[in-house]
Every structure is written in C-alpha cells, then in structure tokens.
C-alpha cells in the first residue's frame, strides 16, 4: 500500500459520493448508478491497481457535480470487487487507503478525474492523545451498546487498534451511516491527530447525548404505551366480566351519565367537586365490588337532590284563604292565624321567622292544613313523622362507612319533594326522644334555624345543603313535650277537638266527597243519612278528631263499591237501621257510661294527648289501720292531691256523715284504671275525694256526672286546664252534668261551642261541698248498711250498693 500511496500528484478517476464518506482502513460497498461514475469505476478497473479517488459532494441533491461541488479532502480507495447489478448499476467493494487532497480536476470526456496528493500524518502518541483514545473507545462502546445500530463486534474491532489516526478513522467510518456527514467530513479533514481525536470525541459525545435522550423519550413513550395498553386490556376484561355477570349495561356509559348529570345540574361548587371526585373513584373500580355499590348509591343520592330546582311561590293570600276554606270546615281561628302568617311572609318576602307548630289531638286536620298551605303556595308537600325517633342519625343521616347507610329524613324528604322549597311537615315533634345515640332535637334545631340552615350538613351527603327555602311546619299533640330549644323557635297554633255537630258537617262536606272519589264511587251510589253519621260518631268512635270516623266511613265505601261492581244495587242507602250490617256491632255505648249509680266510683275528666277522656276513679274500703293506698301508676302530683282530699275528709267527718275514727279501722284503696291515660295533674283531686267520701259514707255517685278540679286541704276547688277537651270528652261519653271549677267559667264560655253548652249542664263549683251536693245521690241512709256489710266482707273486696236511677 505504501508504494501506491507514495506516488504524488497522480491523476486518478474520481467517484463523487452522495450522503456518505469513506475513511482510510474502511471496507465498504458502494452502489454506483450515475453514468459518469460508472465510467470512472470502469476506468479504474482497467488499471492493475484499481485505484479511485472518492470524495463527497457538498450537496447531495446535485446530479452532475462540477469541480466546485466536490469536497477537497477525500480518500484514495482500492476497488476490491465489482458486481454488475440489473438495471445497469454496479456495486463495488472498496477499501479506504489514505486521505487524499484533490489538487486539480482534469476534465475527461465521460468521467471526472483528479490530480491528488495523499496525506500521511505521523502517529505520535502523547499522553493527551492516549487519554483521548481511551475516552473515544469508551464512548464508542456506549454508542454500540445503547445505539443498537452496530453489531457488538464493532467494539472488538477497535479496542486493539493502537494507532490513534487509524482508531479515529475506523470509528468514524462506522459512524458513517448515521452521523451527519458534515461533522464526519470535519474528522476526515482533521489531519493533526489531536484535532481528529478531539473532533471525533465531540461527535461521539453529542451522539451519546442524543441516544440518551432518545432512550429516555422511548422509555417514556413505552411506559405510556404500556399503561394505556394495560388499561385498555383491563377495561376490555372488565367489560367482559360485567357481561358474563349479566351487568350488561356498560359501566362507561353509567359514568358518562353521572358526568353529564353533574354538568346539567349546575351543582354548587363544593357539591360538583365532590361528585366529580366520586365519579373518578367509581370509574377506577371494578363494577361488582361492594365499594362501587356504595359510591354509586351515594352518587345517585347526591345527584338526585334538588340542588337548584325550585317552584315559584304563589303568594296570594286571597287564594290561600279560599283553599283553606275549601279543604276544611270550621277551624276559623286556626285558618286566621295561618293566613296571618302567610301574609306576613308575603309582605316581608322573607322566609326567616318562627316555625308554625300545629298543636292538637290526632285527626283534627293538622296534616291536612299543612297540605293546604302547600297547595295555596303552589309548593310541593312532604311529611316526615318524628314519632319515636331517638337517634340523631335519623335526622342527620349515617356516615357512609356504615353498611346500608342512608341520608337523614330531612334529605330524604327533599329528594322525595324534588324541589328545594317544599312545605315540609315534621309530624309529632313532641315525640322525639334523646338517648345515647345523640339528640335528634339538636340536629333538628340546626335544620330549622334560619340562621344556620342554609348549609345543613347531613353525614351521608357530606356536602352542605341549603334548607333556607324550605317552609317547615311542625305538629304536636302536646306542646308541653316539645324540647324547649325547639319550642323557643315555634309559633304555636292550637287545634282542639270537634263537637259532634262539627264532625257531622266535616263528614258530610269533606270526608264523604273525598272518600267517594277515592273509591271510584258516584255520589248517586251511596247515601249515608245524617243520623247514621251521628250514630257512627257516637257508637263507633270516641275521639277528638275525625280519623276513626273517616275510617268507618271508608269501610262503608268499600262495601258499597263491592255492591256497585256486583251490579246488585246501584244506590246503597245507609241509615241507622242498617248501620250494623256495614260496621258490625257498636263499639261504644252512647249515653251514660255506667248505667247504675255506684258507691265509691266517680268520673274524672282528663285532658290527654288524644283530646281528652273520662276516667272512673274507684275506691274500696277495707278493714285495716287507716292506710291510704293509691294504685294505677299515679304521678306524684296526683298522689298528693289524693292525700289532700283524704286529710280534708278526716277533718270533716261529722259533716260528711262518716265515722270519726274511720281512719283507725279501715284502709282506703284508691285505684285509677285505664292505663292509657296520663295520671299526672292535680285535676282529679275533687273526683278522688268524692269517690272516697262515697265509699266511706255509702252514698252512691250519680253515674251521669263527671267532674274536674284541684282540691285544697280546706276543700276549695281550684281551676284546671284543658277545659274544652275535657267537656267535649264528657259529652262524647254521654255525660249530662259536668262540674267545673268556678274559675274556669271564662274558659268554658269562650271555648265551648254553644251547641255543647246547650246539651250539657255545667255546674261551676268552688268548694267540695258543692261537688258532693251535685254528684252524690241524695237521701237514704246508706252509711250504716254499707259499713256493716263492709265489715263482713273479706278484706280487699269492693263494696258497691245499687240504687235504681
Ligand atoms: P292530624 O294531622 O291532625 O292527625 P289529619 O290532617 O290527618 O289529622 O286529618 C284526618 C282527616 O280528617 C283528614 O282526611 C282530614 O282531611 C280530615 N279533616 C280533619 N279536620 C278537618 C276539617 N276541619 N275539615 C275537613 N276535613 C278535616
């Protein structure tokens, strides 16, 4: 090789290269296609040395390069092999011999030829050169390893090269395929060794950096790909599983539906955020896991709440008045109060203010009044019964961590209403109880308080809900039992029981038309006479309201419906005579509760939550030592009032016609039966005293008299409460004479309907003497007989005397 390259300024054919370079020491195949290039190769092949000069075109796009288009520095090569390819092109295998500088172009007709000079450089290995060599080899190793474009042997080929120039050329030659040409050209043109090594090191460094970047990008892309692929794969599997489990509907579409709903609902920001978070959680869960069921359930609740739905209020008091009258008979004072309340709201346009509480016995129309208010305002209506509620969670909901957790009743009610401003009836607020599970009253307080209910928090829903637009109405049977913090915020409106006349009117005007249409009957199908209704009231019901009356009438309607459908009779007539065929035997006896005057039994009147009732008080006298025995689960106050009566009697034995030392010989047992009645107040004082006196004196008590009043040690009769309810109850029980404390005269005259006052004899009393005079059967010396009889009787047996009426 040395002799071939030693020649100077020889002329040789030139093969212009496009897009590649040939370095010394390099074996490479070149495809030759251009006419002139093929000529040049043929020319070279004709000589024994088969030498060519190759040099790169400066611009690969030029087809017919001239002298200016060729780089000055190229390489002298020997053609080792030539293969003719189909289509006229040839492939040659060349070996790079030495760098060549083109001195001059010599023009030939059909190919290019150049005069050139070989460039040889002394290979001096300085420490710096050695260090660079080592660096380059390492770089090249990394390049091969990470680049993965060159076979691993390429490294073995270079590690043993000791000449720095050769090392650089061999490595550069291998890079040819990838690295941009102009950089490599700079290696080719760098004759001083140091310079050549440095420029190669730089190229390799850059190339490694690119490789590293590429690798990192690839990694990221691959990871991304893997993740998407994995998710896709899992989703497909999930779909398949759902299908297998028969959960046909696509989970994705469910998620989409939820998303869509969140958008449409325009939730408050915190609710929307919460919803979206839960939707994302749900999306990531397999559909069948328990947790997914919980989340889905939660989302359904959350998205079903009327966050923005609201009905327009119809604040028209005239219309409201009409509706209240349409729906209810009587109740004038109550309607008045409700209308005032609505008018105030109309004027102030504010929802803040006290909450109406309708107080009264069952069946007097509390619920139906609240419904009418909703109708008048054109609002939705919901009712939640608080009776027996003792767990705070019933109001405020359970946390979602509990199995089967649900929102509280308030939120449930709102979902049911479907608007955020319904009329919300909280029934029986006096029946709330508190225990270790928390106090429902305090949760309710938060819901009702206008100052804080704009963000009511339910444990289940977790995000606050605005209750400020809800119109709450509450009901209670007994205002005294409403927890006081709640009571404090309420405006009480009392409803009392109805008189018989009122009940008849209600039945005829309201209950019957409603029941007929409920049962699909025509008014012509059924005719219930007024008298029959009165009988139903008297003999089949005993109540302050009209609930049972409605129930009995409904029974008649059901029976009628059957007959009408059977086609047997198109008009059913119900009168007193055939009432029993519809309702069976009467449940109560109307008229005197007990038909016979009895010794030791007096009738008390009690105001109860269901509107008042009469209760008999029984007294038995037994041999003994003067003990006063009280049974029937009496409250403290009632016991004390029995004691007071007892003491009064002891102080007045003579006047009352009772043995003076009765208290040394007999025990007295006072019993109040009828467990369902409250026995708490002092108002049975006079009744107990009367019954004791009757038992001791043997004078019977008139069976058509009922009484009420507190008694003092001196026998004075003090006023009591609940006059109207008590008198109505006595009337229902068929009592003719009612004894009331004189101081209650005003209440009676104000509250009692005229019809009642006409039917009953009311005697106002202020001393027990007056009570005894009115209540005890006059005349006859029962005492002696009675006491004799009593002493012969075994202890504990009741003594009664019967006297014809
Ligand atoms: P409450 O809620 O007080 O227990 P409801 O409102 O349920 O009583 O009343 C029971 C039934 O009696 C209802 O059908 C109601 O419409 C009817 N009712 C009660 N009072 C009247 C009235 N004054 N006029 C017309 N219907 C009445």
């Amino acid at each position: 090789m040395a002799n071939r390259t030693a020649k100077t300024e020889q002329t040789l054919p030139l093969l212009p290269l496009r897009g590649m370079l040939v370095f010394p020491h390099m074996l490479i195949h070149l495809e030759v296609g251009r006419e002139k290039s093929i000529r040049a190769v043929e020319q070279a092949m004709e000589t024994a040395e088969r030498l060519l000069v190759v040099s790169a075109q400066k611009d690969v796009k030029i087809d017919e390069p001239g002298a200016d288009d060729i780089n000055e520095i190229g390489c002298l090569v020997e053609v080792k092999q030539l293969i003719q390819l189909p289509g006229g092109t040839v492939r040659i295998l060349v070996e790079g011999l030495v760098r060549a500088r083109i001195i001059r172009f010599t023009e030939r007709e059909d190919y290019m030829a150049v005069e050139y000079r070989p460039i040889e450089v002394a290979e001096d290995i300085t420490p710096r050169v050695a260090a660079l060599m080592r660096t380059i080899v390492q770089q090249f190793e990394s390049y091969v390893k990470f680049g993965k474009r060159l076979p691993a042997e390429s490294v073995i080929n270079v590690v043993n090269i000791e000449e720095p120039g050769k090392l650089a050329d061999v490595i550069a030659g291998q890079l040819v395929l990838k690295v941009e040409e102009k950089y490599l050209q700079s290696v080719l043109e760098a004759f001083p060794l140091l310079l050549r090594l440095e420029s190669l090191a730089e190229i390799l460094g850059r190339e490694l950096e690119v490789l590293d970047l590429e690798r990192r990008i690839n990694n990221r892309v691959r990871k991304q790909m893997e993740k998407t692929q994995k998710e896709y794969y899992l989703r497909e599997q999930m779909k398949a599983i759902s299908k297998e489990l028969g959960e046909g509907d696509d989970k994705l579409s469910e998620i989409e539906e939820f998303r869509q709903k969140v958008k449409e609902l325009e939730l408050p920001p915190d609710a929307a955020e919460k919803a979206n978070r839960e939707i994302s959680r749900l999306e990531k869960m397999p559909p069948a896991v328990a947790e997914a069921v919980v989340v889905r359930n939660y989302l359904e609740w959350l998205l079903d709440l009327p966050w923005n739905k609201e009905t327009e209020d119809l604040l028209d008091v005239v219309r409201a008045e009409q509706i209240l009258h349409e729906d209810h008979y009587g109740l004038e004072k109550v309607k008045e109060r409700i209308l005032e309340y609505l008018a105030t709201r109309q004027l102030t346009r504010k929802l803040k203010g006290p909450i109406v509480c309708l107080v009264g016995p069952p069946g007097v129309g509390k619920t139906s009044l609240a419904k009418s208010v909703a109708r008048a305002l054109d609002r939705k209506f919901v009712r939640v019964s608080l009776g027996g509620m003792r767990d705070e969670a019933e109001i405020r909901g359970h946390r979602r961590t509990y199995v089967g957790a649900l929102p509280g009743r308030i939120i449930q009610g709102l979902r049911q209403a479907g608007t955020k401003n319904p009329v919300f009836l909280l029934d029986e607020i006096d029946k709330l109880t508190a225990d270790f599970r928390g106090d429902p009253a305090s949760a309710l307080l938060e819901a009702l308080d206008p100052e804080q209910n704009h963000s009511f928090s339910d444990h289940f829903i977790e995000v606050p809900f605005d209750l400020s637009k809800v119109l709450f109405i509450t009901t209670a049977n007994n205002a005294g039992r409403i927890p006081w913090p709640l009571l404090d915020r309420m405006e009480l409106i009392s409803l009392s029981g109805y008189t018989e006349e009122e009940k008849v009117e209600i039945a005829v005007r309201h209950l019957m038309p409603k029941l007929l249409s409920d049962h699909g009957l025509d008014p012509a199908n059924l005719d219930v006479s007024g008298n029959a209704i009165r009988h139903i009231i008297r003999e089949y019901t005993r109540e302050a309201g009209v609930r049972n009356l409605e129930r009995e009438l409904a029974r008649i309607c059901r029976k009628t419906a059957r007959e009408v459908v059977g086609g047997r009779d198109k008009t059913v007539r119900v009168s007193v005579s055939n009432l029993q065929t519809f309702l069976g035997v009467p449940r109560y006896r109307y008229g005197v509760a007990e038909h016979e005057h009895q010794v030791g039994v007096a009738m008390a009147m009690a105001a109860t939550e269901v509107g008042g009732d009469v209760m008999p008080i029984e007294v038995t006298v037994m041999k003994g030592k003067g003990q006063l025995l009280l049974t029937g689960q009496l409250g403290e106050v009632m016991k004390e009032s029995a004691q007071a009566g007892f003491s009064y009697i002891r102080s007045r034995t003579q006047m009352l016609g009772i043995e003076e030392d009765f208290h040394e010989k007999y025990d007295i047992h006072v019993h109040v039966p009828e467990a369902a009645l409250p026995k708490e107040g002092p108002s049975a004082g006079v009744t107990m005293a009367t019954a004791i006196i009757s038992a001791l004196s043997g004078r019977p008590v008139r069976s058509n008299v009922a009484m009420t009043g507190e008694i003092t040690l001196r026998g004075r009769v003090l006023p009591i409460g609940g006059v109207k309810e008590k008198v109505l109850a006595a009337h229902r029980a068929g009592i003719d004479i009612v004894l009331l404390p004189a101081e209650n005269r005003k209440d009676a005259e104000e509250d009692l309907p005229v019809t009642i006052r006409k039917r009953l004899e009311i005697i106002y009393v202020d001393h027990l003497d007056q009570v005894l005079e009115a209540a005890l059967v006059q005349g006859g010396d029962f005492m002696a007989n009675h006491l004799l009889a009593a002493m012969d009787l075994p202890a504990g047996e009741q003594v009664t005397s019967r006297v014809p009426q």
Side-chain angles (χ1 to χ4, degrees):
M1 186 168 88
N3 60 345
R4 281 182 300 206
T5 54
K7 294 178 190 166
T8 53
E9 300 185 15
Q10 220 183 338
T11 301
L12 278 177
L14 171 81
L15 179 63
L17 297 175
R18 286 212 278 195
M20 62 189 327
L21 289 179
V22 177
F23 280 84
H25 317 288
M26 188 175 165
L27 261 176
I28 187 171
H29 281 288
L30 302 174
E31 304 241 327
V32 187
R34 284 184 286 191
E35 198 63 34
K36 275 192 172 176
S37 301
I38 294 174
R39 285 285 98 73
V41 172
E42 283 169 357
Q43 198 60 39
M45 293 302 281
E46 278 170 20
T47 61
E49 286 95 352
R50 301 176 170 186
L51 295 179
L52 264 176
V53 173
V54 296
S55 182
Q57 282 177 212
K58 289 174 188 163
D59 182 352
V60 289
K61 278 174 262 152
I62 297 173
D63 267 344
E64 297 244 338
D68 293 342
D69 301 322
I70 307 287
N71 279 320
E72 191 190 350
I73 308 293
C75 191
L76 178 69
V77 300
E78 181 189 344
V79 181
K80 295 279 192 186
Q81 197 183 45
L82 180 144
I83 303 167
Q84 294 280 354
L85 293 178
T89 56
V90 293
R91 177 187 293 153
I92 50 173
L93 178 69
V94 299
E95 183 187 3
L97 301 176
V98 66
R99 283 176 170 69
R101 181 193 298 276
I102 297 171
I103 310 289
R104 193 173 302 118
F105 284 83
T106 51
E107 204 51 52
R108 297 287 153 93
E109 219 172 280
D110 43 4
Y111 65 95
M112 290 175 94
V114 287
E115 240 175 60
Y116 78 98
R117 188 180 303 143
I119 305 161
E120 302 267 18
V121 182
E123 308 254 327
D124 250 356
I125 304 185
T126 60
R128 187 158 165 70
V129 167
L132 267 170
M133 281 173 73
R134 210 173 296 156
T135 310
I136 285 173
V137 171
Q138 277 168 5
Q139 282 177 322
F140 185 63
E141 266 181 66
S142 304
Y143 176 79
V144 171
K145 189 169 158 203
F146 297 121
K148 297 202 173 103
R149 295 190 185 92
L150 297 174
E153 307 86 76
S154 325
V155 182
I156 302 166
N157 293 342
V158 301
V159 284
N160 293 324
I161 299 174
E162 280 166 7
E163 308 94 318
K166 183 175 173 188
L167 179 74
D169 287 345
V170 170
I171 289 178
Q174 307 218 40
L175 299 181
V176 160
L177 295 173
K178 177 67 196 158
V179 184
E180 250 189 85
E181 224 177 300
K182 69 175 180 200
Y183 294 113
L184 282 176
Q185 184 70 29
S186 71
V187 177
L188 196 64
E189 291 178 6
F191 313 129
L193 279 179
L194 205 58
L195 192 65
R196 192 183 306 171
L197 289 172
E198 272 171 358
S199 63
L200 185 61
E202 196 188 313
I203 289 173
L204 276 170
R206 265 172 34 107
E207 193 61 7
L208 281 176
E209 232 169 75
V210 172
L211 272 181
D212 187 46
L213 253 176
E214 263 179 14
R215 203 183 61 225
R216 264 192 277 161
I217 292 170
N218 276 343
N219 266 349
R220 207 171 305 146
V221 171
R222 203 179 58 235
K223 265 193 205 140
Q224 190 62 38
M225 285 279 291
E226 275 168 6
K227 193 167 161 244
T228 8
Q229 267 177 350
K230 195 169 133 196
E231 277 179 10
Y232 174 77
Y233 175 72
L234 287 177
R235 282 228 173 83
E236 287 299 306
Q237 270 200 334
M238 226 152 66
K239 275 193 216 165
I241 292 171
S242 310
K243 272 213 182 98
E244 280 305 314
L245 287 174
E247 296 166 359
D249 275 342
D250 214 342
K251 181 177 156 201
L252 288 177
S253 73
E254 180 194 27
I255 300 273
E256 273 320 302
E257 260 174 44
F258 280 137
R259 291 235 159 87
Q260 189 67 25
K261 227 171 169 187
V262 173
K263 262 187 228 146
E264 281 166 13
L265 283 176
E266 292 174 15
L267 301 179
D270 40 1
E273 194 193 316
K274 177 85 188 162
N276 284 326
R277 226 179 311 137
E278 294 293 325
I279 293 172
S280 306
R281 274 185 65 204
L282 180 62
E283 196 174 21
K284 289 189 197 115
M285 288 176 197
V289 297
E291 177 74 0
V293 178
V294 172
V295 175
R296 192 173 300 123
N297 181 32
Y298 172 76
L299 280 167
E300 272 162 14
W301 269 104
L302 189 71
L303 300 180
D304 248 9
L305 290 182
W307 293 98
N308 280 316
K309 249 190 259 164
E310 200 174 318
T311 48
E312 182 96 12
D313 266 357
L314 242 176
L315 282 172
D316 178 349
V317 174
V318 181
R319 196 181 101 100
E321 187 172 358
Q322 243 172 22
I323 288 180
L324 285 180
H325 284 314
E326 244 170 58
D327 293 350
H328 299 95
Y329 173 81
L331 297 175
E332 298 309 331
K333 274 194 210 161
V334 177
K335 288 178 191 166
E336 200 72 2
R337 294 273 306 271
I338 292 178
L339 289 170
E340 279 165 18
Y341 179 77
L342 292 178
T344 323
R345 290 170 80 99
Q346 183 177 351
L347 285 181
T348 55
R349 291 250 163 209
K350 255 196 334 214
L351 293 168
K352 298 195 175 169
I355 285 160
V356 166
C357 179
L358 301 169
V359 185
V364 292
K366 300 184 296 295
T367 310
S368 99
L369 276 169
K371 267 189 203 156
S372 290
V373 170
R375 190 156 85 89
L377 292 172
D378 207 13
R379 287 187 181 209
K380 293 267 194 269
F381 176 80
V382 268
R383 171 176 173 271
V384 162
S385 175
L386 303 175
M389 219 179 248
R390 46 180 63 240
D391 189 350
E392 188 192 349
E394 294 208 49
I395 300 284
R396 217 194 260 290
H398 286 280
R399 297 200 183 279
R400 269 196 288 156
T401 39
Y402 291 101
V403 176
L406 277 181
R409 303 293 278 275
I410 305 264
I411 291 292
Q412 289 187 24
L414 283 165
R415 180 184 180 180
Q416 191 191 332
T419 60
K420 62 189 284 197
N421 65 338
V423 169
F424 202 124
L425 184 72
L426 296 163
D427 228 352
E428 305 193 308
I429 198 162
D430 54 338
K431 303 285 192 306
L432 281 177
T433 41
D435 69 6
F436 63 94
R437 280 167 289 196
D439 183 2
S442 68
L444 201 57
L445 199 60
E446 192 190 315
L448 296 181
D449 185 355
E451 297 301 326
Q452 29 177 339
N453 71 2
H454 52 84
S455 62
F456 174 72
S457 63
D458 183 283
H459 291 327
F460 181 86
I461 294 297
E462 289 175 8
V463 279
F465 193 91
D466 180 7
L467 296 180
S468 63
K469 300 248 166 97
V470 177
L471 174 58
F472 285 105
I473 296 182
T474 60
T475 79
N477 292 140
N478 181 351
R481 296 233 174 131
I482 303 175
W484 72 262
L486 284 170
L487 190 63
D488 207 33
R489 285 172 173 73
M490 290 201 227
E491 179 175 343
L492 301 183
I493 299 182
S494 308
L495 291 85
S496 44
Y498 295 118
T499 63
E500 195 174 285
E501 274 63 40
E502 285 172 326
K503 288 184 186 176
V504 173
E505 290 297 329
I506 292 171
V508 172
R509 294 184 199 205
H510 296 275
L511 302 181
M512 279 315 290
K514 197 168 65 181
L515 288 169
L516 286 174
S517 91
D518 285 355
H519 289 80
L521 292 169
D522 198 84
N525 289 143
L526 178 61
D527 176 34
V528 185
S529 75
N531 246 342
I533 293 179
R534 203 174 298 272
H535 262 77
I536 300 174
I537 296 168
R538 287 180 179 176
E539 300 185 346
Y540 292 86
T541 69
R542 187 169 280 181
E543 57 176 350
V546 291
R547 201 172 273 177
N548 291 327
L549 175 59
E550 189 177 17
R551 211 168 286 152
E552 296 300 329
L553 292 172
R555 272 172 76 184
I556 293 178
C557 287
R558 281 199 300 276
K559 291 220 160 97
T560 307
R562 257 180 61 192
E563 298 210 1
V564 170
V565 169
R568 273 173 279 167
D569 194 352
K570 288 289 173 199
T571 305
V572 175
R573 288 180 206 287
V574 181
S575 63
V576 180
S577 55
N578 68 353
L579 195 56
Q580 289 211 12
T581 56
F582 287 90
L583 301 180
V585 272
R587 227 154 292 151
Y588 305 97
R589 272 186 301 160
Y590 183 73
V592 183
E594 300 287 345
H595 287 279
E596 293 151 349
H597 301 321
Q598 291 187 62
V599 172
V601 180
M603 202 61 88
M605 295 185 282
T608 69
E609 291 185 0
V610 295
D613 211 335
V614 292
M615 59 181 177
I617 291 180
E618 301 174 355
V619 176
T620 305
V621 177
M622 300 162 284
K623 276 193 214 166
K625 294 199 185 90
Q627 251 193 344
L628 179 62
L629 232 127
L630 301 165
T631 57
Q633 299 205 334
L634 310 189
E636 280 308 309
V637 179
M638 195 153 171
K639 282 183 188 163
E640 282 168 12
S641 97
Q643 287 285 359
F646 187 64
S647 302
Y648 171 74
I649 294 165
R650 279 185 60 181
S651 67
R652 304 288 295 265
T653 44
Q654 215 168 12
M655 207 208 112
L656 294 170
I658 299 173
E659 276 185 66
E660 215 166 308
D661 54 353
F662 79 91
H663 62 277
E664 287 166 3
K665 295 188 194 162
Y666 311 116
D667 281 346
I668 292 172
H669 182 177
V670 178
H671 179 66
V672 187
E674 285 281 348
L677 295 170
K679 293 153 195 160
E680 278 156 7
S683 75
V686 291
T687 325
M688 288 189 287
T690 305
I692 296 172
I693 291 168
S694 160
L696 285 172
S697 68
R699 286 168 70 185
V701 184
R702 295 168 67 162
S703 61
N704 61 339
V705 174
M707 62 202 82
T708 180
E710 183 175 354
I711 190 169
T712 68
L713 283 175
R714 296 171 169 204
R716 277 202 347 108
V717 177
L718 299 183
I720 42 76
V723 170
K724 185 177 179 189
E725 294 303 338
K726 286 177 176 174
V727 177
L728 287 180
H731 177 56
R732 277 200 294 280
I735 298 289
D736 300 319
I737 301 169
V738 168
L739 309 183
L740 292 179
E743 284 180 51
N744 281 118
R745 181 190 290 269
K746 193 167 147 276
D747 302 322
E749 284 172 0
E750 262 179 22
D751 295 347
L752 288 173
V754 184
T755 47
I756 289 288
R757 278 190 277 150
K758 274 193 195 147
R759 297 245 188 116
L760 276 173
E761 187 185 343
I762 302 177
I763 300 175
Y764 297 102
V765 293
D766 43 24
H767 197 276
L768 191 66
D769 294 346
Q770 293 164 288
V771 175
L772 297 176
E773 195 181 321
L776 297 183
V777 176
Q778 302 298 319
D781 182 7
F782 297 98
M783 181 67 185
N785 294 340
H786 162 65
L787 286 178
L788 287 173
M791 278 179 271
D792 290 330
L793 284 170
E797 201 139 304
Q798 187 176 336
V799 183
T800 48
S801 298
R802 300 215 160 120
V803 179
Q805 205 175 342

